[in-house]
Amino acid sequence: MTEAVAFVPGHVTGFFSAHQDDDPTKAGSRGAGVALADGVTVRLEPGDGVELNGEACDLEAVDRVLEALRSTARVVVETDLPLSAGFGVSGAAALGTALTANAVFDHGLSENELVTVAHGAEVQAETGLGDVVAQARGGFPVRLEPGAPAHGAMDGIPATRDVEYLTLGELSTADVLAGDTAELNEAGRRALSALVAEPTLETFMHVSRRFAREADLLTPEVQAVIEDVSGAGGEASMAMLGETVFALDAGLSDAGYDAERCSVSLAGAHLQ
Amino acid sequence: MTEAVAFVPGHVTGFFSAHQDDDPTKAGSRGAGVALADGVTVRLEPGDGVELNGEACDLEAVDRVLEALRSTARVVVETDLPLSAGFGVSGAAALGTALTANAVFDHGLSENELVTVAHGAEVQAETGLGDVVAQARGGFPVRLEPGAPAHGAMDGIPATRDVEYLTLGELSTADVLAGDTAELNEAGRRALSALVAEPTLETFMHVSRRFAREADLLTPEVQAVIEDVSGAGGEASMAMLGETVFALDAGLSDAGYDAERCSVSLAGAHLQ
C-alpha cells in the first residue's frame, strides 16, 4: 500500500435551508458559503484508526467513507481550523478520505463519485448537509439544489477575496438540525432567492446576516462582533453552524479583533 | 470605470464528440481534457478593441461576449501558449472577458451565467465547443453532456499531475468541424464510455490516443512524437484540435524533446 495526501478547504456557510431525505445522496442543503485556503490535510497510511491533530479520534463520516469504499487504512487528519465551530472539518475529513482511498486502492472512481460517497457519509453521520459539495467546488459556492452531484446543482459567486474569521465557542450541528427548523428553512429560502437575483459578495454578506437574525441563531457575543465590524465599515456574518464570525478582507482586524486571515480556496479539494 | 484582471487556464482536449444545436447553450461537446496552469490573462480597460500579446486582433468570441453583456471596453489578452494549436485560447479570452466585464460593470451575474455567455459566444464564433466549460472547472474535466451549465454535465478525473506539451504547427478547429464528423463522433463516444467506466489518467491517455487514430486526425509528425514518448515509457497523445502533443509528467523531456511543462490548473478560471 502506498500513501496519498489530499487537501480539502475549510467551508463556512453563510445561510442554508436543510433538506432531509431517506436517500443520503438526495438529502442536503441549499445555501451559500466560502471555501477557505485554510483547510484540512488528510493522509492515508497502512494501518487503521483515525487520528486528528495527533490524537486518536472518532469521526463517523470518515469510518463510513472507508466502509463504503471497502478500504482499511489509517487516516491522519491535520488542521489548524477550530473544531465544532462551523468550518466543515468533518466533511473535509470525509472528502479527503474518499480522495486518498481512491488513489491508494485504485478504486477508479470519478470526482463526482467520490464527492457522492463523502456527502452520503457526512449526511448519515449527521455532521453536515452541504459542506462536502461546497468543499469539492471551491470559491464562493452556491448550493442551488441539495444533494450529491447527481441530484444537486451548484453555482458560484464570481469573486476572489480574502476572508477573516474569529471563533468564540462551539456549537453542535446535530443539535440545531434536530430542533424545529421550519423558520430556519423559510429564512434560508428567502436568502437564496435574494442571492440568486444578485450573486455578489455584498448580497451574500447582507442576506447571511439577515438569515442569522431570522433563524434566531445569533448569540449575543457573535452579534456584538458583527456589529463592531459593521461599525468599522466592514462586512461580517456568522458561520453556520458555529460560534464563529467571518468577514470579508480585513473586516475583523479593522474592528480591532485578533482574527485569522486567509484567501478563498479557488481549487477546492484535491490530491496533493 | 475600474479595471479587472482574470486568469483562465489553457485547456487541451484529448478526445471529443461534437454536438451541434441551434441553441448555442445546448450545442457543445462531450469529451475530456486537462486544464493547464499555463493560461491566458485578460485585462479589461477603458476604451475599445481587442489586443492579443501586444497586437490588435480580431477575436469574434470576445466581441460576442461584450455584445451579450452590453459592455464597451478594451480587452487586453496575454498568453505564452501557442495560438491555433489546441489550447483553447479563444475560449479562454471569451471567458476572461465575461468575468472581467461582470466585475467592472457590476452586471451581477453568477459563475454559471458568465460561463453560459462565454460558451455561447465561442460556439457561435465556431472556434470551440467544450473549452469554456472545462476551463471554468479546472483539473482534468470530463464533459459528460454537452452545453453550458444549465444543459451540460461535468465530472472530473481525481488527479494532480504535471503536464508537458510541444506544438509542431497549427490546425483550424472550424475546418475540422466543417468536415464529415460522423466517424470522429463515433470514436469520441467510445472513448467517453471507456473513460466513464474507469476515470483514471491512464485510461484517459489510452483512449485519447485511440481516438486520435480512429478519428484520423494524427499527422505523421505528431504520431512520431507520441511513439517516441511511449518508447521512453511515457504517456502522450494529441491535443484536439492542434498539431500539439501533450504528455503526463516529463514524458516529452524524457523522450528527448524540448517541451513546455506546467502543473494542472486546479482552480480553473478566476478573477485575480
Side-chain angles (χ1 to χ4, degrees), chain A residues 243-270:
Chain A
E243 206 173 345
T244 293
V245 178
F246 70 101
L248 296 182
D249 304 320
L252 281 156
S253 303
D254 289 348
Y257 290 97
D258 183 19
E260 298 294 325
R261 181 165 181 168
C262 67
S263 57
V264 58
S265 166
L266 297 168
H270 57 275

Side-chain angles (χ1 to χ4, degrees), chain A residues 71-97:
Chain A
S71 304
T72 303
R74 178 163 189 78
V75 180
V76 180
V77 181
E78 286 178 17
T79 184
D80 289 330
L81 290 171
L83 306 177
S84 302
F87 292 94
V89 170
S90 58
L95 182 51
T97 301

Side-chain angles (χ1 to χ4, degrees), chain A residues 99 102 108-114 137 144 154-160 197-200 266-267 270-272, chain B residues 99 102 108-114 137 144 154-160 197-200 266-267 270-272:
Chain A
L99 283 164
N102 183 62
L109 297 180
S110 73
E111 289 183 346
N112 287 355
E113 289 165 335
L114 295 171
R137 180 180 175 104
L144 297 173
M154 308 278 299
D155 199 346
I157 303 168
T160 302
E198 186 178 82
T200 64
L266 297 168
H270 57 275
L271 287 168
Q272 285 186 323
Chain B
L99 284 164
N102 183 62
L109 297 180
S110 73
E111 289 183 347
N112 287 355
E113 289 165 334
L114 296 171
R137 180 180 175 104
L144 297 173
M154 308 278 299
D155 198 347
I157 302 168
T160 303
E198 186 177 82
T200 64
L266 297 168
H270 57 274
L271 288 167
Q272 284 187 322

